[in-house]
């Protein structure tokens, strides 16, 4: 799955894109502060990214597709299902 970042203030002009997963992205969330992106896919992974498309961390162990990501307001906890 591909993530595309666009600048809304410039009519949706694409800033950049990056490959996040080998399979389709099911769910995407952005942190409250806007500095991290979380993606979930059929590959059973949740991955956090910075806004340059650099991987921060992989969250493993679901055993099946991840369909939801919730980030706490203080950004110290994520809940995935």
């Amino acid at each position: 799955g591909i993530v595309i970042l666009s600048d809304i203030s410039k009519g949706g002009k694409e800033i950049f894109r990056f490959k996040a997963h080998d399979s389709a992205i099911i769910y995407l969330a952005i942190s409250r502060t806007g500095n991290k992106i979380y993606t979930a896919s059929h590959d059973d992974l949740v991955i956090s990214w910075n806004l340059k498309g650099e991987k921060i961390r992989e969250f493993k162990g679901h055993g099946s597709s991840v369909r939801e990501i919730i980030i706490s307001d203080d950004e110290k906890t994520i809940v995935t299902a």
Side-chain angles (χ1 to χ4, degrees), residues 16-68:
F16 73 94
R17 64 178 60 208
F18 64 94
K19 183 176 180 180
H21 295 264
D22 289 332
S23 57
I25 294 171
I26 299 169
Y27 198 90
L28 184 141
I30 191 161
S31 65
R32 185 175 182 89
T33 56
N35 63 347
K36 291 181 189 168
I37 298 168
Y38 296 84
T39 57
S41 178
H42 288 295
D43 59 12
D44 308 345
L45 293 174
V46 172
I47 303 175
S48 59
W49 308 88
N50 65 23
L51 295 184
K52 295 178 182 178
E54 299 167 332
K55 187 185 298 185
I56 298 169
R57 181 174 177 191
E58 285 187 2
F59 300 86
K60 300 178 182 181
H62 286 86
S64 62
S65 299
V66 179
R67 300 188 180 278
E68 181 124 15

